[in-house]
Amino acid sequence: MLIGGVKALDDWQSFPVVGVKQVSGFRPDEPIFWVLPDNSLYALFRDNGKSQRLFFSTSKDEGRTWDTPVISNFPNARSKLFSLATSHGYRVLVLNAHPKVNRRELYLAVSPDNKTFTRLAKLEIPSPAELPKEVASLKKKFSAGIASLQYPHVIEHDGYLYIAFSRNKLQTEVFRVKLTDIDALLKSKKN
């Protein structure tokens, strides 16, 4: 964690979060973090080890020290994730949450409390064979298929989440989801 840059561009302090061998079997990569209502920081880590799960940790001193990361029950296909607090009062997480299919599917998870994601939905992203007729002429550009959907990023605008991602590390696509559809997912009964 780097803290600083206020007094001068080169005035930074470095604080380690977790070492590669600190947690047995855990190979931390590409952490994301956000501020909780109590001003503590909450972090999620992808694991490049064999767990196929996310790890989490918290810091109560603005990132200077961190609790030892703990494995969660949340699946991840060893890929990058992105999270965003929405104007509707919940947090979303977009990631490849199905390890058996690796990066061929993207999922959206919802957390009403900024820490525990209680709903998960597969994003129905069109594959080359399913392109609407209005964009069928683009099919050649999709010729590599759906082998890899990755590096998600999300912004909120005018009642929608716009989810950008890379397909096969060759092209960038944008997919949108209505916030009201996510509201309904959050209110649905658990299966």
Side-chain angles (χ1 to χ4, degrees):
M1 174 71 69
L2 293 174
I3 297 175
V6 176
K7 294 178 186 175
L9 188 57
D10 61 353
D11 179 36
W12 293 88
Q13 289 182 296
S14 176
F15 298 93
V17 176
V18 60
V20 172
K21 296 182 180 181
Q22 184 179 343
V23 177
S24 180
F26 175 43
R27 297 200 37 89
D29 197 7
E30 298 180 324
I32 60 170
F33 67 91
W34 54 87
V35 180
L36 294 174
D38 67 359
N39 284 326
S40 62
L41 296 177
Y42 187 81
L44 287 177
F45 305 84
R46 85 180 237 197
D47 177 19
N48 276 343
K50 296 180 181 178
S51 75
Q52 297 182 328
R53 295 288 183 262
L54 295 178
F55 279 69
F56 65 92
S57 181
T58 57
S59 172
K60 297 191 183 312
D61 58 5
E62 299 177 336
R64 287 169 176 78
T65 61
W66 290 83
D67 296 337
T68 300
V70 176
I71 193 169
S72 74
N73 66 349
F74 205 100
N76 182 253
R78 290 189 286 187
S79 59
K80 187 157 180 63
L81 46 145
F82 188 87
S83 185
L84 176 79
T86 70
S87 65
H88 285 215
Y90 49 77
R91 176 169 289 281
V92 295
L93 176 67
V94 178
L95 73 165
N96 303 99
H98 193 328
K100 289 186 179 179
V101 299
N102 201 4
R103 296 180 180 187
R104 290 190 304 271
E105 297 173 350
L106 277 176
Y107 288 79
L108 182 135
V110 186
S111 171
D113 69 358
N114 280 310
K115 293 193 319 189
T116 305
F117 291 87
T118 59
R119 297 292 187 273
L120 180 68
K122 179 182 168 188
L123 294 172
E124 295 297 333
I125 299 169
S127 72
E130 303 164 348
L131 290 176
K133 64 182 177 183
E134 295 83 10
V135 293
S137 63
L138 298 175
K139 193 167 182 176
K140 277 188 173 183
K141 292 186 179 184
F142 291 87
S143 63
I146 59 166
S148 189
L149 307 174
Q150 60 213 356
Y151 306 116
H153 190 83
V154 182
I155 61 170
E156 179 183 338
H157 178 70
D158 203 20
Y160 288 90
L161 291 183
Y162 288 85
I163 302 168
F165 58 92
S166 167
R167 188 184 298 259
N168 296 320
K169 298 182 184 178
L170 296 173
Q171 59 203 32
T172 301
E173 299 177 34
V174 178
F175 183 82
R176 76 179 187 173
V177 177
K178 288 183 186 177
L179 282 166
T180 53
D181 289 345
I182 301 170
D183 296 345
L185 175 66
L186 192 57
K187 292 175 185 174
S188 67
K189 291 183 179 182
K190 291 181 180 178
N191 293 334

